[in-house]
Every structure is written in structure tokens, then in C-alpha cells.
Amino acid sequence: MSLEAAPLDMKTQVPAKQPDSPWRIAIRRFTRNRLAVIGLLILVVMVLFCVVGPWFSPYDLLEYDVKNKKNLAPNAEHWLGTDKLGRDTLLRLMLAGRISLLVGLVATAISILIGATLGALAGFYRRFADTIIMRIADVFMALPTLPILIIMGAILSDLKVEPKHRVYFLMLILGVLGWTTIARLVRGQILTLREQEFMQATEALGLRDRRKIFRHLMPNTIPIIIVTATLGVAGAIIAESALSFLGIGVVPPTPSWGNMITSANSLIDFRRRPWLWIPPGMCILITVVAINLIGDGLRDALDPKMKK
Amino acid sequence: MSEVLLEVDHLKKYFPITGGVFQRRVGDVKAVDDVSFTINKGESFGLVGESGCGKSTIGRTILRLLEKTEGKVIFNGQDIHKLSKEQMRGMRTKMQIVFQDPFSSLNPRIKVGEAIGEALLDHGLVRRKELKARVIETLQICGLADYHYDRYPHEFSGGQRQRIGIARALIMNPEFIVADEPVSALDVSIQAQIINLLSDLQRDKQLTYLFISHDLSVVEHLCDRIGVMYLGSMVEMASKDELFRNPLHPYTKALLSAIPVPDPTLKRERIVLKGDIPSPANPPSGCKFHTRCPLASDICKQEIPEYRNVGDNHFVACHFA
């Protein structure tokens, strides 16, 4: 019996598989986190429910029948009953979900766009840019959010903005008010990164600022952005619900989970017609919990210091 | 004598210490305090000294990764610290650096091929089509394989990462490379490979090195001339043979006596230095070394010894040399 010599020359070894990119590793770690995967599944189901669900409904959003269908309890035709105008609650719930999720997503996207850009500029250029941007951030953080939102809501009502368009203003307001957290995080991250030797290397190589920021610094801040954004979506959904519940966010007839719960304001609806307010409440709860589970999972998966 | 490539003239680099409510400047860390030397074309100059003596700071100030406090760095006849940002960017193609830590010197999210090639592209030195071929050629020169092109840094060992770092510097076709302790983070067996790679490259590409190290045996292998630093100042500088045969400064003697010799029967006189290296924020008066020097006397505490040529380009700063 003879032993074959193992190939020692590096060039004879065939490269195995795809390169094991940091993203691939993160995905693998995420899928090993059971709670996070459950959260993701719930969120997917929720999104399908809101986006695809309405197509299967035999009813129409604008269809109402106060005479015959007012305040029906859940039954075979209307699974979640009807409201005081005789509208199908299930259909309204699904369409409300579209609005609530969309507001959450777009508001967060706006926050990130503003926050990440300003944070990166502050962290990279430091000195003057840093001082100005971070002082503006301080001002925004010092603003009491709720009164401002209420005032904005009142202004929108006063200007008689159509309910359809109010949604967009709401996204913008929530987004603009929320950029500071992400700006601070991105700035902090970039301040640490720029002291690393690989950033000194980019300086020694004479790379342009553009490449340094977008190719070297930003990709390293994406994990933190993803995590904050995920948790931010949950926060924005809650904020939207709260405002809509108070009647200054999304206003009827456009449904949102928040303004659907408003029916719990009336004692009769609260005691006798729980099908009006329990389902949207549950939807908010489930969605926010699912998003938070995903956010935690992403944090664990993307943080290289938490290697398991 | 051959042509001078780099001249460091009375270079000083102080880092301010700030304190108090208003972040007033309360003092300076004198990391590099009045250092002068020259490096000729094709030469490798070794810079040795303890941790914290300012070796790396010199390397980085020469490349203008740090701004100087005083003095001049003249490279190919141009004062590096007087160039505009855009001129400096152009100059960067001529002078490169290999870093000490092969782990933090590579961006974890950038593939090796891009990390090596991006600077060429950014400087417009190569067309996009030819880039990959150039990178692979450089990878192979540095002892790596072509399929490493698409790998991420975390898939490599320390020695391989250091080769990547060398390839990244080399692809620019520099005249001058600062090697900032390129082997001190590596295993001894790997150290030899990297040193051999560096010396092969020097021969093939007529490179000039500033080789920073705290390991005299490494410097002995690679360098033509050696400068010894203590607490931000140059205490002795001579050609390698002269320095090893005839060290004049007591600090150099102590360092040389600390080189391990692979012969357990050999009895040697070990000069063991007492105490710690003093703070560069508040260096001792007179000769900075007097607090630890076995020969120290009164004059050492009072007068700063002149850094003088004792013949044959052997420079030393000691009252007794």
C-alpha cells in the first residue's frame, strides 16, 4: 500500500464553491436564529394578507349598505363582520394594512436617506460639517415629537388636504422627524472606521473621497443601517397608528389600523362590537413584534463581534 | 555616492494633549523630535527602536498620512508636505506603505481583487479591461494564485493577507515603500517568507525601502543602513555592518545584546536596561536616554548630546562615543 502525496502546490488546488461573502455568512447566521425566522414568516404572511388579500374579497372598499348590513357580527359572508356603514371589516383591515405598512416603510426610507447621508458626511469630513450637522440633529432631537405631529396634523386638516394625500404628508413628516437616530449611528460608525488601518491604506493609495465613502465606509455601515431601519419600521407603524387613532394621521375614509381602532372610543362599539377594534389591534401587535424579532435576528447575524 | 531619493530634514511630529473644559492644549506628545536622515535610491533603510519610540509615526509622516509639525520631507526633490491635495494624490502612486496588522489593513467587505486593483482604476492608470490581468499578475508575483481574486480577506491566513497588502502596494509600481513592521504580526516561519518576498521584489523592481521594525535580526537580513531610535530621536545611524560590528551608543549596544543567539553554551554579556521608557510627553532633560543608561553621568542630565558624524557616515548622539 502506498500513500499518495497530497498536492502541496497551491495552484493545483481547484477553488471550492462560491466566495464566502460577509453577506452570505450573515444570511446563514440569520436562518439559524429560530425566533427571527418565525418573525420573518409572520411578516411575509402579513404582507401577503394585506397586499394579495383584497383581490380575493368579493366586496369593494366604497361599497356600503347602511340599511341592511349595519354592524353585523362576524358571519359566513362577512368573516369579521361589518361596521356602522355596513362595510366589510376584513377588507378594510387588509387595505388598512397596506397603508400602515407603506407608511412605516416609506417614512423609514426617508429617515435613512437623510440620516445616513448626513451622518456619513459628518463622520467623514468632521470639523465644520460635523458640528453643523450634529447640532441640527440635536435640535431635531430636542423637538417634542407628539405636539409637533399634532400641530402638523391640525395644519393638514386646516388646509383641507384630501385624505388620500394626507398619507404622503404623514410619511414625509414621520420620515423627516426620525433621521437623527440613524445619523448619529452612522456618524459614530464612520468615526471608528476611519481610524482603521484599511482607511489609512485608502489614503496612502490616494483614492478619491467618493470611493472612500461609498466603496469603503458605507458598506461597513449597512449592517447597522439595516438593523435600525427594521426597528424603525416598527416604530413608524406605531407612530402612524397612534396619530391615526387620535384622528390626525390617516383619516377616514382611507382606512389604517390606527384609525380603525378609533371605534373603541365609542362605549357601545367597545363593549358590543369587539370585531371592529380587536383585529386591527392584533394586526399592529403581531406586525410590530414580528419586525422586532427580525430586527434582533439581523443584529445578531450582522454583528461580527457576536460570532457564535 | 548614489542618488538621494528621500530626505527627511529635522522632522518633528507632536501630538497635542488637550484637557480641561475647553479642550485647551496642555502639552505635546513628542512622537518624532527632530529626526534627519536620507535614503538613497535602491537602498533599504532600517529603522529600529522600542514600541512607542516614534518609528511608525515617522513612516506615516513621510507618506503624509499624518501632517508634520516641523521640518521637511523631500522626495525626489519635492517637499511632500507642500503639495496640494491633488498633487499629493498623484505622488501617492510613487510611494506606498505595507502595514503592520494584516487583519485591520484590509477592508472585510471588499474582495481581494478589487482591493488590489481599485487604486489603479481610481488613478486612471489602467483600462478596465486590462485591470484583472494586471491584478492577477501582481497576485502571482506576490506568491498568491489567480483564483484568490474573488475571495474575501477573511478567507486568508495572516501571511497571505500580508502578501495581499504587499500586492496592493506593489501594483502601483512605486519607487519607495514604507514597510511598517510588516512581519511582526506573523509567525516566525511566515516571517521568513515575507522577508524573502520583500527582498526579491526589491531586487526585481529596484525598490527603495524604509523598513520599520523592532526586530534587529530582521533588519540585519534586509537592510543596508540602520537607524536606531529612542523616544522620538535618532540616537545612532550607520551602515548595517558598521552598526553590528561597532555599536557606539549604549542603547544600541543594549539592543544588540538582546538578539537571541541559537547557541545555549555561548556565554554573552547581556546589557539589561532598567526601568521603562519615559513618557514622550515629558522627556528627560539632556540626553533622553540618561534615565536608563549604564554610563550616565552628570553631563548627560544637563546637555543634549550632539548628533554627529564619527567618521564613515556613522552618526551617533552620545557624550561618550
Side-chain angles (χ1 to χ4, degrees):
Chain A
M1 205 176 96
S2 69
L3 289 169
E4 270 183 53
L8 280 174
D9 185 10
M10 286 206 296
K11 277 165 201 143
T12 61
Q13 285 175 16
V14 186
K17 70 207 161 58
Q18 279 255 305
D20 219 0
S21 80
W23 295 116
R24 215 172 276 274
I25 295 170
I27 291 170
R28 205 160 53 221
R29 259 187 272 159
F30 183 83
T31 50
R32 278 200 217 113
N33 184 336
R34 198 172 303 151
L35 272 179
V37 174
I38 291 173
L40 187 63
L41 285 178
I42 294 176
L43 189 69
V44 168
V45 170
M46 202 50 129
V47 169
L48 287 177
F49 170 72
C50 297
V51 175
V52 184
W55 294 339
F56 294 97
S57 172
Y59 306 103
D60 190 88
L61 179 65
L62 300 171
E63 175 189 319
Y64 58 92
D65 187 347
V66 188
K67 216 185 262 172
N68 301 320
K69 288 186 171 176
K70 188 176 156 190
N71 289 331
L72 292 181
N75 56 45
E77 270 176 58
H78 298 279
W79 294 352
L80 290 176
T82 59
D83 62 8
K84 60 179 185 283
L85 294 176
R87 292 175 298 193
D88 182 53
T89 314
L90 181 59
L91 176 65
R92 296 201 79 220
L93 187 67
M94 296 190 285
L95 292 170
R98 285 188 183 179
I99 301 286
S100 292
L101 289 173
L102 196 66
V103 170
L105 277 176
V106 174
T108 312
I110 294 173
S111 300
I112 286 173
L113 215 63
I114 304 174
T117 315
L118 291 181
L121 290 177
F124 187 76
Y125 289 107
R126 293 187 290 188
R127 298 167 205 285
F128 195 57
D130 188 26
T131 314
I132 296 220
I133 291 171
M134 292 331 282
R135 288 304 79 75
I136 295 174
D138 286 344
V139 169
F140 267 82
M141 291 190 119
L143 293 176
T145 320
L146 200 57
I148 291 216
L149 287 171
I150 292 175
I151 293 167
M152 296 295 239
I155 293 174
L156 289 184
S157 301
D158 213 44
L159 293 174
K160 304 220 167 21
V161 177
E162 270 185 72
K164 244 192 306 182
H165 297 149
R166 274 189 83 120
V167 179
Y168 302 116
F169 283 104
L170 189 64
M171 293 171 181
L172 194 67
I173 295 168
L174 286 176
V176 169
L177 286 179
W179 65 275
T180 49
T181 326
I182 225 137
R184 293 195 151 202
L185 286 170
V186 168
R187 168 181 174 267
Q189 189 77 5
I190 284 186
L191 284 178
T192 357
L193 285 170
R194 60 172 299 145
E195 298 305 320
Q196 302 250 359
E197 261 182 0
F198 67 77
M199 287 315 294
Q200 298 212 1
T202 63
E203 178 68 33
L205 288 167
L207 300 185
R208 291 176 200 281
D209 286 356
R210 205 172 349 126
R211 183 177 274 274
K212 282 192 222 163
I213 296 177
F214 291 109
R215 206 59 204 102
H216 287 262
L217 291 172
M218 286 304 235
N220 281 295
T221 61
I222 282 175
I224 206 167
I225 292 179
I226 290 179
V227 173
T228 329
T230 316
L231 301 173
V233 171
I237 289 176
I238 299 244
E240 180 275 325
S241 304
L243 292 175
S244 303
F245 177 80
L246 294 174
I248 48 177
V250 181
V251 292
T254 312
S256 94
W257 286 336
N259 70 29
M260 286 180 76
I261 303 179
T262 318
S263 57
N265 263 345
S266 120
L267 193 62
I268 285 208
D269 283 346
F270 182 68
R271 285 175 57 182
R272 300 253 193 88
R273 299 176 193 120
W275 62 85
L276 290 179
W277 54 268
I278 288 184
M282 288 304 289
C283 280
I284 295 174
L285 180 74
I286 292 171
T287 310
V288 170
V289 168
I291 292 176
N292 282 336
L293 287 179
I294 297 170
D296 284 346
L298 284 173
R299 175 168 17 228
D300 293 348
L302 292 169
D303 189 345
K305 277 163 207 128
M306 299 261 298
K307 251 179 206 156
K308 278 183 191 158
Chain B
M1 208 170 126
S2 58
E3 209 182 330
V4 172
L5 180 71
L6 179 87
E7 187 182 346
V8 175
D9 187 20
H10 296 283
L11 186 69
K12 289 183 187 176
K13 174 67 194 173
Y14 294 172
F15 294 100
I17 308 168
T18 53
V21 188
F22 298 106
Q23 296 296 298
R24 236 159 1 97
R25 188 186 186 119
V26 293
D28 287 303
V29 173
K30 294 172 181 167
V32 177
D33 199 5
D34 203 358
V35 171
S36 306
F37 60 92
T38 57
I39 302 180
N40 298 326
K41 237 173 207 153
E43 183 183 47
S44 39
F45 184 84
L47 208 50
V48 294
E50 279 169 279
S51 306
C53 72
K55 319 181 288 283
S56 293
T57 308
I58 288 193
R60 280 163 204 217
T61 315
I62 288 174
L63 295 181
R64 209 174 164 187
L65 295 177
L66 296 169
E67 294 297 323
K68 56 141 200 210
T69 304
E70 252 177 67
K72 277 188 208 151
V73 177
I74 294 163
F75 179 80
N76 258 345
Q78 276 182 294
D79 189 339
I80 291 293
H81 284 262
K82 283 203 180 120
L83 297 177
S84 70
K85 198 177 172 188
E86 208 40 41
Q87 286 172 318
M88 192 61 222
R89 225 175 75 77
M91 192 57 107
R92 298 239 178 254
T93 60
K94 309 245 174 65
M95 44 207 308
Q96 277 301 313
I97 181 165
V98 175
F99 288 96
Q100 171 177 11
D101 183 353
F103 290 90
S104 72
S105 64
L106 295 170
N107 189 330
R109 292 187 183 270
I110 291 186
K111 288 183 187 174
V112 167
E114 188 187 339
I116 295 173
E118 62 178 350
L120 277 185
L121 210 57
D122 219 33
H123 282 282
L125 293 174
V126 70
R127 260 178 275 157
R128 209 169 264 277
K129 274 185 283 179
E130 298 153 9
L131 180 67
K132 186 163 180 178
R134 268 291 286 284
V135 173
I136 285 174
E137 184 195 331
T138 314
L139 276 173
Q140 283 165 347
I141 291 174
C142 294
L144 294 159
D146 52 0
Y147 63 82
H148 288 143
Y149 185 88
D150 279 320
R151 295 275 174 97
Y152 284 90
H154 71 94
E155 297 173 80
F156 292 88
S157 67
Q160 287 175 311
R161 282 165 161 250
Q162 203 54 289
R163 288 175 190 271
I164 296 167
I166 294 171
R168 178 172 63 185
L170 197 69
I171 200 165
M172 308 285 279
N173 248 333
E175 292 172 52
F176 175 62
I177 293 184
V178 173
D180 187 0
E181 307 214 32
V183 297
S184 51
L186 305 175
D187 286 349
V188 178
S189 57
I190 310 294
Q191 284 190 1
Q193 295 177 9
I194 297 295
I195 288 168
N196 288 336
L197 173 65
L198 286 170
S199 74
D200 290 348
L201 290 175
Q202 179 174 39
R203 194 190 54 226
D204 298 343
K205 310 245 172 198
Q206 283 87 47
L207 293 170
T208 306
Y209 285 140
L210 170 63
F211 195 90
I212 298 166
S213 179
H214 58 249
D215 186 343
L216 272 168
S217 45
V218 167
V219 170
E220 181 185 14
H221 186 81
L222 200 67
C223 297
D224 308 314
R225 279 192 309 137
I226 298 173
V228 180
M229 282 188 71
Y230 183 79
L231 214 61
S233 306
M234 194 76 94
V235 294
E236 187 164 9
M237 180 171 74
S239 71
K240 175 180 77 185
D241 297 330
E242 170 74 10
L243 190 88
F244 275 81
R245 204 178 41 223
N246 181 25
L248 294 176
H249 198 284
Y251 182 62
T252 315
K253 287 179 187 162
L255 282 185
L256 288 175
S257 84
I259 298 177
V261 178
D263 180 359
T265 58
L266 192 72
K267 284 271 180 285
R268 291 187 304 156
E269 194 196 342
R270 275 281 270 121
I271 306 167
V272 181
L273 294 179
K274 294 182 297 285
D276 281 329
I277 190 162
S279 161
N282 185 19
S285 62
C287 172
K288 286 177 182 174
F289 188 56
H290 81 251
T291 52
R292 300 170 76 191
C293 182
L295 306 176
S297 66
D298 282 343
I299 183 173
C300 301
K301 286 175 198 163
Q302 285 143 19
E303 276 178 46
I304 299 173
E306 193 198 352
Y307 181 64
R308 63 190 194 280
N309 192 343
V310 290
D312 202 16
N313 277 319
H314 188 153
F315 289 83
V316 67
C318 179
H319 293 296
F320 300 105

